[in-house]
């Protein structure tokens, strides 16, 4: 039997004989004495094989990287000068007395001494996960979920499972459909979230529910998205937004304290409107001191239509970012930032360098100064607080374009100029609009079960564009950790929201009849929140992508190189399901 994990063998085992299992991390032959580093999930320990045991040494001589072995030996102190204080096992080594090769390893398709392509890493994921950095992330994730469970269960939350095969509901992405064999021509949908079921659990009197649950969304992918992902999902009855925020903030504080020994400090609250106006994002990274400053009122009468046009347009915006030390930018760098802003629809990026703030307009440099009076440039410098050596970068277009372009540019500038301050900056974003308008149609900004704040159904229908939702997002370092809301618990209000979204009574009954029925039978007020577990662990471990904190993720094309999924279905299965496939035209 194994005595302990490799990474746990320390000086307390000195003099003892131990038995270990693991993989050969490295082998070194030093003139008849063979050293190997034996690795398992907990770490690495050094093992020595010497000529005094020729039979054991002969086997050790055959070892190569990733051989799976069993060995026994005596723990002894390392010689002076060979102690590694950075390792738990660094004060000892094991003198090997018995060695068994359990399984040999062929030449590895991955090279751990260099960067492998993501396709290779996912194709041979079982090998990639042996790397200490990857195994440590998965172990960290397991500890996070255990800590979350303990915290919520101590607070009276019940772990209740909800169905995976369910009915399609609008959650903002396409559903994954599952055909039914017993109901030919009909389909289940994989849940984009347990939203309706957790609301029904509240109506069932469960009071406090949580679940660490798989969710599925058929959407375009990027670093923080996967077709299947994991949520820490929770719901409560008889609590308002403040109550839910207090519980979940306490949980995240506890998690960071126990797992990282970090005190997160204050969680300020910021309205959605302020976040978009000041930072160009509804998930602002407060480590970045750069802000968007509105200057349209100063530029309405200038003889420069690039500024005056949007400044006089109710749907336009003129804003500026002051970059400390940015006057050192070359014209080439400014052109590169202009090209970057163009990705978000910006047609250009006007600029003013402040070479000497004591010289007024004479201390400024820009091709647009000829359009601006001394009074206007003085006002621009004063409003932005620009000093010698700074640069002002302007966005002028529709409010949407300016906000998105300068918001993205702000993040890039913060990274490029190394402006980020502090390690962790959490906040709550609140007072979201209830609806967003796209091409003249209204859509729910969160989901159609979110309650408006302080409005009757009649008042909501009278002016839906101005309505605010009783919703809240927790943001950390520019990442949305989780979002939630107070839910609609009144049938009249739910019907009003469906009506505003263009969902008529027949469609509402067809899609959500079970929910509307439940609202008639003493439905309690309820509210909840869902955290993205993958994003949370990614942030806590410093990984660059959620794929690096998931055991078996998909690629950005939603494929699995390991299993070659998705793949064509067996013809007999398709026949049983009454499904025919159609070839794409060549």
């Amino acid at each position: 039997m194994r005595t302990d994990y490799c990474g746990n063998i320390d000086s307390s085992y000195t003099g003892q004989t131990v038995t270990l299992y693991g993989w050969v991390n490295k082998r070194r032959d030093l003139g008849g004495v063979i050293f190997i580093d034996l690795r398992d999930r907990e770490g690495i320990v050094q093992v020595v094989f010497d000529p005094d045991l020729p039979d054991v040494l002969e086997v050790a001589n055959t070892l190569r990287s990733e051989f799976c072995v069993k060995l026994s030996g005596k723990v002894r102190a390392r010689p002076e000068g060979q102690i590694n204080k950075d390792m738990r096992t660094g004060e000892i080594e094991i003198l090997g007395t018995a060695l068994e090769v359990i399984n040999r390893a062929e030449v590895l398709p991955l090279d751990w001494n260099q960067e492998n392509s993501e396709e290779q890493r996912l194709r041979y994921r079982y090998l990639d996960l042996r790397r200490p950095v990857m195994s440590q992330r998965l172990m960290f994730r397991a500890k996070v979920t255990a800590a979350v469970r303990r915290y919520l269960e101590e607070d009276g939350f019940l772990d209740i499972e909800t169905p995976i095969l369910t009915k399609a509901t609008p959650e903002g992405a396409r559903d994954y459909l599952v055909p039914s064999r017993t109901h030919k021509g009909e389909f289940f949908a994989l849940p984009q979230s347990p939203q309706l079921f957790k609301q029904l659990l509240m109506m069932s009197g469960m009071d406090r529910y949580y679940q660490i649950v798989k969710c599925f969304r058929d959407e375009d992918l990027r670093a923080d998205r996967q077709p299947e992902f994991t949520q820490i999902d929770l719901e409560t009855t008889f609590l308002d937004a403040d109550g839910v925020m207090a519980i979940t903030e306490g949980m995240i504080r506890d998690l960071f304290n126990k797992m990282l020994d970090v005190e997160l400090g204050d969680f300020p609250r910021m309205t959605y409107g302020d976040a978009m106006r000041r930072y160009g994002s509804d998930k602002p990274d407060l480590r970045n001191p750069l802000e968007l400053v509105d200057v349209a009122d100063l530029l309405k009468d200038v003889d420069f239509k690039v500024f005056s046009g949007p400044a006089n347009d109710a749907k336009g915006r003129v804003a500026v970012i002051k970059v400390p030390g940015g006057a050192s930018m070359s014209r080439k760098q400014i052109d590169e930032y202009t090209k970057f802003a163009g990705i978000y629809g910006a047609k250009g990026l006007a600029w003013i360098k402040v070479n000497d703030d004591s010289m007024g307009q004479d201390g400024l440099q820009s091709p647009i100064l000829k359009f601006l009076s001394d009074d206007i440039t003085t006002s621009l410098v004063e409003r932005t607080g620009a000093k010698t050596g700074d640069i002002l970068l302007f966005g002028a277009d529709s409010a949407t374009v300016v906000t998105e372009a300068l918001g993205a540019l702000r993040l890039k500038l913060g990274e490029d100029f190394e402006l980020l301050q502090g390690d962790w900056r959490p906040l709550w974003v609140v007072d979201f609009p209830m609806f967003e308008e796209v091409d003249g149609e209204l859509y729910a900004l969160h989901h159609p079960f979110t309650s408006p704040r302080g409005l009757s159904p009649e008042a909501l229908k009278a002016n839906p564009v101005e309505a605010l939702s009783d919703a809240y997002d927790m943001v950390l370092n520019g990442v949305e950790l989780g979002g939630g809301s107070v839910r609609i618990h009144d049938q009249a209000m739910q019907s009003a929201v469906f009506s505003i979204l263009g969902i008529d009574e027949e469609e509402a009954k067809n899609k959500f009849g079970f929910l509307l029925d439940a609202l008639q039978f003493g439905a309690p007020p309820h509210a909840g929140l869902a955290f993205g577990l993958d994003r949370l662990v990614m942030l806590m471990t410093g990984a660059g992508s959620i794929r690096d904190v998931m055991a078996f993720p998909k690629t950005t094309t939603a494929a699995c190189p390991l299993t070659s999924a998705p793949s064509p279905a067996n013809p007999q299965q398709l026949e049983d399901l009454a499904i025919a496939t159609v070839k794409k035209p060549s």
Side-chain angles (χ1 to χ4, degrees), residues 274-286 288-294 317-323 337 340-346 348-349 393-416 419-420 477-478:
D274 281 347
M276 297 301 289
R277 177 178 56 82
R278 295 173 58 190
Y279 303 106
S281 172
D282 61 359
K283 47 181 184 294
D285 187 347
L286 297 187
N288 185 339
L290 301 182
E291 294 194 23
L292 283 60
V293 179
D294 285 300
R317 185 180 187 189
V318 185
V320 60
I321 297 177
K322 178 197 73 176
V323 186
Y337 286 124
F340 176 82
I343 296 172
Y344 301 88
L349 195 65
L393 300 175
F394 294 81
D397 208 307
S398 70
T400 299
V401 167
V402 170
T403 301
E404 289 185 1
L406 291 190
L409 184 62
R410 169 184 174 268
L411 295 178
K412 183 169 177 57
L413 289 165
E415 293 284 351
D416 291 352
L419 299 174
L420 303 189
N477 292 5

Side-chain angles (χ1 to χ4, degrees), residues 135-403:
S135 60
Q136 287 164 14
R137 285 171 182 163
L138 289 190
M139 287 191 289
F140 185 90
R141 179 180 175 129
K143 292 174 182 176
V144 166
T145 59
V148 165
R149 291 185 186 281
R150 283 194 298 270
Y151 185 91
L152 292 175
E153 287 168 5
E154 287 173 3
D155 204 11
F157 283 82
L158 304 176
D159 181 2
I160 305 176
E161 295 180 352
T162 54
I164 293 297
L165 296 176
T166 183
K167 189 178 180 70
T169 57
E171 299 273 354
R174 288 180 294 272
D175 291 302
Y176 278 100
L177 299 178
V178 180
S180 170
R181 181 185 59 80
T182 54
H183 300 274
K184 289 182 171 56
E186 298 183 350
F187 296 81
F188 296 103
L190 302 182
Q192 295 188 34
S193 82
Q195 183 61 46
L196 297 185
F197 285 106
K198 67 182 179 182
Q199 289 189 241
L200 292 173
L201 286 170
M202 296 303 97
M203 298 174 199
S204 304
M206 295 298 101
D207 191 60
R208 293 192 174 193
Y209 140 96
Y210 89 95
Q211 189 179 185
I212 297 178
V213 59
K214 280 287 187 184
C215 303
F216 307 86
R217 296 185 183 179
D218 184 7
E219 59 186 349
D220 295 332
L221 306 183
R222 57 179 187 240
D224 61 346
R225 285 184 178 173
Q226 281 280 291
E228 52 181 318
F229 57 96
T230 306
Q231 283 186 181
I232 304 169
D233 202 50
L234 59 93
E235 198 80 6
T236 66
T237 52
F238 307 114
L239 279 184
D240 58 12
D242 288 339
V244 174
M245 292 163 77
I247 288 172
T248 52
E249 182 178 319
M251 183 186 80
I252 295 299
R253 286 181 184 280
D254 182 73
L255 196 60
F256 271 74
N257 181 262
K258 289 180 177 176
M259 299 295 297
L260 299 178
D261 195 25
V262 166
E263 296 290 345
L264 283 178
D266 293 335
F267 279 63
R269 295 191 185 188
M270 182 181 298
T271 67
Y272 170 88
D274 281 347
M276 297 301 289
R277 177 178 56 82
R278 295 173 58 190
Y279 303 106
S281 172
D282 61 359
K283 47 181 184 294
D285 187 347
L286 297 187
R287 296 173 302 164
N288 185 339
L290 301 182
E291 294 194 23
L292 283 60
V293 179
D294 285 300
V295 292
D297 58 308
L298 302 177
L299 301 167
K300 287 185 175 182
D301 300 323
V302 300
D303 188 21
F304 186 44
K305 289 185 178 180
V306 170
F307 283 169
S308 61
N312 287 283
D313 185 343
K315 293 186 178 181
R317 185 180 187 189
V318 185
V320 60
I321 297 177
K322 178 197 73 176
V323 186
S328 62
M329 283 187 204
S330 67
R331 185 57 190 265
K332 181 181 178 182
Q333 287 175 301
I334 294 174
D335 289 343
E336 288 173 352
Y337 286 124
T338 301
K339 186 177 180 181
F340 176 82
I343 296 172
Y344 301 88
K347 300 179 182 68
L349 195 65
W351 54 272
I352 297 176
K353 290 185 177 182
V354 183
N355 294 325
D356 189 338
D357 60 12
S358 67
M359 296 175 61
Q361 186 148 355
D362 290 339
L364 306 179
Q365 176 189 350
S366 172
I368 67 170
L369 289 176
K370 58 188 175 184
F371 301 110
L372 308 178
S373 67
D374 286 356
D375 289 343
I376 289 176
T377 55
T378 298
S379 296
L380 287 171
V381 169
E382 287 179 352
R383 182 170 295 185
T384 58
K387 302 293 183 185
T388 298
D390 297 345
I391 192 171
L392 303 179
L393 300 175
F394 294 81
D397 208 307
S398 70
T400 299
V401 167
V402 170
T403 301

Side-chain angles (χ1 to χ4, degrees), residues 31-34 48-58 76 95-98:
V33 178
I34 294 174
V48 184
F49 300 96
D50 66 28
D52 290 345
L53 296 172
D55 292 344
V56 177
L57 186 68
E58 183 178 353
R76 67 185 187 186
L95 177 62
T97 56

